[in-house]
Amino acid sequence: MSALGVSPARSDADAKLRGEAVFGADLVRSGMLWAALARSPVAAGQIRAIDTGPALEIEGVLDVLTTADVPDWRTGVIVSDTPFLAADYVAYEGEPIAIVVADNRNAAEAGANAVAADIEQIEPISTPEQALAPGARLVHPAWNRFAVAGGADIGRSGNVVAEVVHDPGDLDEAFAVADLVVEGTYRTPRQYQAHLEPKMALATFESGRYTIEVSHQYPFRLRDRVAQMLGVMPSAVRVVGHHIGGGFGAKLDVSLEAFAALLARRYRRPVRMQHGALEERLVAPCRANALVSVRSAVRRDGTVLATEVEIVSDSGAYANNGPALSAIPMFVFGSIYRVGTARIRTRNVYTNTAPTGAYRGVNGPWLVFANERHMDAIADALGRDRREFRLSALARDGDLMRNGQPLEQVSILHEAFERVDELAPWRDIVSRNGGQRDIVSRQTKLPDAGDALLRGVGMAAAVWLTNPMPGHATVKLNEDGTATVITSATENGSGAVVTALRQIAAESLGLAADQVLVTMPDTDATGYDAGSQGSRTTHVVGRAIADASADVRRQVLDRASQMLEAAPEDLVIADGVVSVAGVPAASLTLGQVAQAATWTEGPIAAGASYVTPTPPHDPMCATGMLIKGWPTPTYHLHQAEVSVDSVTGRVTVERYVVCQEVGRAIHPDAIAGQIQGGVAQGLGFALSERVDLDHGRYVQRTFKEHGLPLAADVPKVEMIVMEHADPAGPYGAKGAAEPPVVPVAAAVANAVADAIGAPIDTLPITPEAVLDALERAR
């Protein structure tokens, strides 16, 4: 029986269900000190003095460190702009200004709150629009002295952290001959990852090396970033991973770890740090807020001649991943649709707010929101059915993306349109809802007498990548016939490590999935892995495991052929047994083969690495572009049906259909869970979640205020999983976990706009926003 395409239990399920799993937040060590950060209470200001006296008077506080006690250089993922502690200037509320060390957590946190900072406040640059205004104050006056990794030209200037420009230079003529020009401006807020386990770190120092125990999505990046911050070689830092209580991208970079490591060396004792609830929220690397302006030159027959896109996204006070993410619009606009030539300009800007970062799908949800809302706007302007217009504009296999990369298997998206229509026929739904709105005249669809509900349907399509970057695994056959996978791939909750990776090894070795063990991450014991991000684990690490397992299988067959006196090609492996084909009695267990090999030739084991090749592309397609290609693309179509209460403005998602291409479904239940969860997060982004800023400071400071969707707010998602094997993937698998969140906001917004007969171009779609749109449309 194949180990693939079935849904065995997770290997961590029992421990997690019983509360026995050790998460980072559970760690305790004998003789441990606690530390906490004193943070800036203001969004921008000059530090005149820091008084540590009040903190040192608290019982249990041992020491308070300020900028004079820590490294004085700046570091960063791409731009080295971030100080260890703020020295003379604070750039956002929550920026660290001092470290309090104590013998217990309560004392450390009380000490951090007691540090008295004399800060001369400066009016913060709170929004990207303010940052780009003529004569705007520079968030970092010395920005041009911040080093960029590899010396890359990322288009920096003033408050612009990075700029990507794609301009073929042929737009003006297209707009001059167009029959109509369709324009739209789309605004989206930040989104908080809302993981339950706070960030933490436990550090020790011994024999000249740092060991950091942590719940983290990317141990090797953490190793390298801590080494960068402390000014040591990466080999001087060991990162040991534990169970992760959620991350969704928030645990991909350094947080408390370098502070704890510094203190562990200073005091020669284990040091523990952990965010409090408010602290976690204030410094979370949220999904960036953004403003996207799109205008298209269109002929009456529906041909889009040209598209111009202006994007401004908020980096917050420091660069983080913003310069890399600024390339992604190149793969969203004009990829799955034929919309003519394009000018795309993306600017990522500094503001006096908490630095933004990665959240599942990074900037995909708001880019697809803008792109798909604009497709609806063009269809409405032409008076065409929105589904039919999309089908007429769909790309074909071999069409080029903006970076010159040929689209592969985009015909899958054509299939997706057909599959969704079979399950939820578009024309039937539109007809049942009373016909398509007349958005040109802004005629609102009023409900029938006695019925306050307006009904609408919307769809959104997307192509999304499977993140590349290196993955490594070692597979060893144990002497009892089980197998162990040794990797620093992290299990962040998706199940990729504890289900799919085990299944891939099991399939190669003729074992059941429960006979395959997987280790926890340890950067000393494994090859480099780029972490749980961008749906890469099953595809990239799974490929490494498949290759390593194939080598282990070869070794097993070679050894067994000697023991059974048969040619390797005449042997089969199934159910943990090696036998001669057609002669079941001539057999050995895998344990017997492993035992024999261990004591004669050595243990049976093999390691393998995999890095996704960069697709063919035009390296000169844009300036400032750090992400050059869109590897292992997958195709997606979402369709939403909503009802809108015209009295209260409340939106209810009545039905939600997802058609998702995954390559090969290794663990179908895990894929279904990822689709349901991704849609839930996307609905929160679309309808209810609030991360508002007021003069640079977050307004919502608790989950109660945040507006996360509840179970009652999320419909059961109807799923169509398409399998089109990828030759490079393990048994054909591509990524599956990240894409489900990407088209949600667009599909829901299109459905709400259809229901009310008025555009919805700003998120979240709150009841107040709906009522305002209805009022404007009347």
Side-chain angles (χ1 to χ4, degrees):
M1 178 179 175
S2 175
L4 308 178
V6 294
S7 300
R10 298 168 57 118
S11 59
D12 61 357
D14 188 68
K16 288 181 175 177
L17 285 170
R18 294 178 181 276
E20 297 168 353
V22 178
F23 291 82
D26 298 322
L27 298 177
V28 176
R29 294 289 180 268
S30 176
M32 184 174 73
L33 297 176
W34 275 88
L37 294 173
R39 297 181 178 275
S40 170
V42 303
Q46 297 291 334
I47 300 175
R48 294 190 291 206
I50 295 177
D51 185 1
T52 62
L56 291 169
E57 293 176 2
I58 294 174
E59 184 178 355
V61 171
L62 306 178
D63 201 357
V64 181
L65 281 64
T66 60
T67 185
D69 305 302
V70 301
D72 63 355
W73 50 79
R74 291 176 180 258
T75 61
V77 178
I78 297 168
V79 180
S80 293
D81 55 3
T82 310
F84 205 97
L85 293 173
D88 52 8
Y89 165 67
V90 292
Y92 68 97
E93 181 191 18
E95 183 163 18
I97 57 175
I99 316 170
V100 176
V101 186
D103 58 19
N104 65 83
R105 181 178 181 179
N106 289 340
E109 292 180 349
N113 291 330
V115 170
D118 181 5
I119 300 175
E120 181 182 356
Q121 293 193 50
I122 301 170
E123 182 64 27
I125 301 293
S126 301
T127 67
E129 292 92 334
Q130 291 176 358
L132 294 174
R137 177 179 63 82
L138 294 179
V139 173
H140 295 294
W143 65 267
N144 57 353
R145 294 205 294 270
F146 300 156
V148 178
D153 180 5
I154 56 173
R156 294 186 300 164
S157 63
N159 283 328
V160 176
V161 182
E163 182 175 33
V164 173
V165 178
H166 168 73
D167 187 358
D170 56 355
L171 267 74
D172 294 340
E173 181 180 349
F175 277 96
V177 300
D179 294 318
L180 66 156
V181 174
V182 180
E183 299 185 65
T185 299
Y186 310 95
R187 296 178 181 271
T188 54
R190 297 188 178 196
Q191 188 180 18
Y192 171 48
Q193 292 88 348
H195 49 85
L196 292 182
E197 183 195 27
K199 296 189 185 71
M200 55 69 58
L202 173 61
T204 56
F205 183 79
E206 182 180 348
S207 302
R209 297 187 74 223
Y210 303 89
T211 297
I212 300 170
E213 296 184 70
V214 70
S215 297
H216 201 272
Q217 294 176 240
Y218 193 167
F220 276 94
R221 172 185 272 189
L222 179 60
R223 179 201 68 175
D224 296 347
R225 290 281 283 118
V226 169
Q228 181 191 45
M229 293 178 71
L230 297 180
V232 300
M233 296 286 286
S235 58
V237 180
R238 176 191 180 196
V239 176
V240 177
H242 293 272
H243 291 291
I244 304 171
F248 307 110
K251 296 176 180 176
L252 282 171
D253 195 29
V254 70
S255 177
L256 298 169
E257 299 85 2
F259 298 107
L262 177 80
L263 299 174
R265 177 171 184 172
R266 185 181 182 101
Y267 299 105
R268 293 301 199 273
R269 291 171 64 180
V271 176
R272 175 92 149 78
M273 300 182 75
Q274 181 173 309
H275 279 163
L278 176 59
E279 185 179 25
E280 181 71 57
R281 182 179 295 272
L282 289 180
V283 299
C286 292
R287 192 190 310 280
N289 49 301
L291 177 69
V292 182
S293 298
V294 188
R295 72 183 188 116
S296 295
V298 185
R299 283 182 178 157
R300 288 289 178 197
D301 65 1
T303 303
V304 181
L305 301 172
T307 302
E308 183 171 28
V309 186
E310 282 277 348
I311 299 164
V312 178
S313 64
D314 193 346
S315 182
Y318 297 107
N320 206 338
N321 292 305
L325 300 183
S326 295
I328 291 181
M330 288 282 291
F331 306 102
V332 172
F333 293 95
S335 53
I336 59 174
Y337 300 118
R338 295 179 171 184
V339 290
T341 187
R343 179 186 297 135
I344 303 172
R345 182 190 188 198
T346 302
R347 288 175 290 174
N348 187 234
V349 302
Y350 284 129
T351 60
N352 288 123
T353 63
T356 57
Y359 183 161
R360 187 180 195 170
V362 289
N363 46 3
W366 51 261
L367 289 170
V368 171
F369 168 73
N371 190 40
E372 290 290 319
R373 284 294 302 125
H374 193 65
M375 289 297 290
D376 262 23
I378 297 173
D380 292 332
L382 293 169
R384 291 178 60 172
D385 176 83
R386 292 167 291 144
R387 179 179 183 274
E388 179 272 328
F389 173 66
R390 282 175 169 79
L391 284 170
S392 71
L394 274 184
R396 305 289 176 178
D397 289 344
D399 283 355
L400 301 182
M401 303 178 84
R402 300 300 179 194
N403 69 331
Q405 174 183 333
L407 276 167
E408 300 174 356
Q409 294 185 304
V410 73
S411 54
I412 293 170
L413 193 53
H414 294 253
E415 178 187 343
F417 273 82
E418 295 175 3
R419 296 283 298 275
V420 169
D421 207 50
E422 291 171 0
L423 180 62
W426 176 266
R427 289 190 179 279
D428 292 352
I429 298 167
V430 169
S431 177
R432 186 173 66 244
N433 291 345
Q436 201 158 351
R437 68 192 185 282
D438 178 9
I439 201 165
V440 176
S441 63
R442 303 299 172 94
Q443 179 181 341
T444 304
K445 282 169 37 177
L446 296 176
D448 296 331
D451 182 5
L453 292 182
L454 304 168
R455 301 183 185 277
V457 60
M459 62 170 46
V463 57
W464 201 247
L465 81 165
T466 303
N467 258 22
M469 300 186 290
H472 182 273
T474 296
V475 177
K476 65 172 184 172
L477 184 65
N478 299 317
E479 286 70 32
D480 60 4
T482 62
T484 298
V485 173
I486 304 167
T487 178
S488 277
T490 54
E491 175 53 62
N492 68 356
S494 71
V497 172
V498 295
T499 60
L501 296 190
R502 293 166 58 231
Q503 289 173 267
I504 290 165
E507 180 72 6
S508 297
L509 301 176
L511 294 170
D514 61 6
Q515 295 174 295
V516 178
L517 313 173
V518 184
T519 62
M520 296 294 281
D522 183 337
T523 57
D524 269 9
T526 66
Y528 193 99
D529 182 76
S532 55
Q533 55 173 318
S535 305
R536 61 172 295 281
T537 300
T538 298
H539 180 76
V540 174
V541 185
R543 168 63 186 269
I545 289 171
D547 290 349
S549 297
D551 195 347
V552 168
R553 182 185 180 90
R554 178 191 57 76
Q555 295 178 55
V556 167
L557 293 175
D558 286 348
R559 182 59 186 164
S561 71
Q562 300 170 35
M563 299 171 71
L564 293 171
E565 297 182 346
E569 58 269 23
D570 292 333
L571 301 180
V572 294
I573 306 177
D575 301 323
V577 174
V578 187
S579 61
V580 179
V583 189
S587 63
L588 296 164
T589 67
L590 285 177
Q592 290 173 314
V593 176
Q595 286 270 6
T598 296
W599 295 103
T600 56
E601 301 167 354
I604 295 177
S609 301
Y610 183 69
V611 178
T612 307
T614 301
H617 65 281
D618 174 9
M620 305 303 292
C621 64
T623 60
M625 196 166 171
L626 296 184
I627 297 175
K628 304 292 187 180
W630 202 244
T632 322
T634 55
Y635 298 94
H636 313 270
L637 181 65
H638 289 207
Q639 185 166 300
E641 295 177 49
V642 305
S643 63
V644 180
D645 190 315
S646 61
V647 175
T648 67
R650 177 178 171 81
V651 175
T652 300
V653 180
E654 305 285 359
R655 188 179 187 188
Y656 203 93
V657 178
V658 170
C659 188
Q660 173 161 331
E661 191 250 332
V662 300
R664 174 78 181 274
I666 303 293
H667 192 290
D669 284 359
I671 289 172
Q674 289 306 299
I675 292 174
Q676 181 74 43
V679 170
Q681 288 179 313
L683 291 176
F685 184 52
L687 297 174
S688 60
E689 293 184 38
R690 302 301 298 259
V691 185
D692 299 323
L693 290 158
D694 182 16
H695 287 82
R697 304 176 75 240
Y698 284 129
V699 175
Q700 292 81 17
R701 294 183 173 240
T702 67
F703 278 122
K704 182 178 180 180
E705 302 169 288
H706 183 70
L708 285 172
L710 304 178
D713 302 317
V714 181
K716 179 177 175 57
V717 177
E718 298 171 64
M719 305 172 196
I720 303 166
V721 175
M722 298 187 297
E723 296 184 84
H724 297 270
D726 175 50
Y731 300 102
K734 301 181 184 180
E738 189 173 48
V741 75
V742 172
V744 180
V748 171
N750 285 342
V752 174
D754 178 47
I756 67 175
I760 291 290
D761 296 337
T762 298
L763 299 181
I765 310 169
T766 61
E768 295 83 2
V770 170
L771 293 176
D772 287 345
L774 282 167
E775 182 62 31
R776 289 194 302 270
R778 282 190 166 91

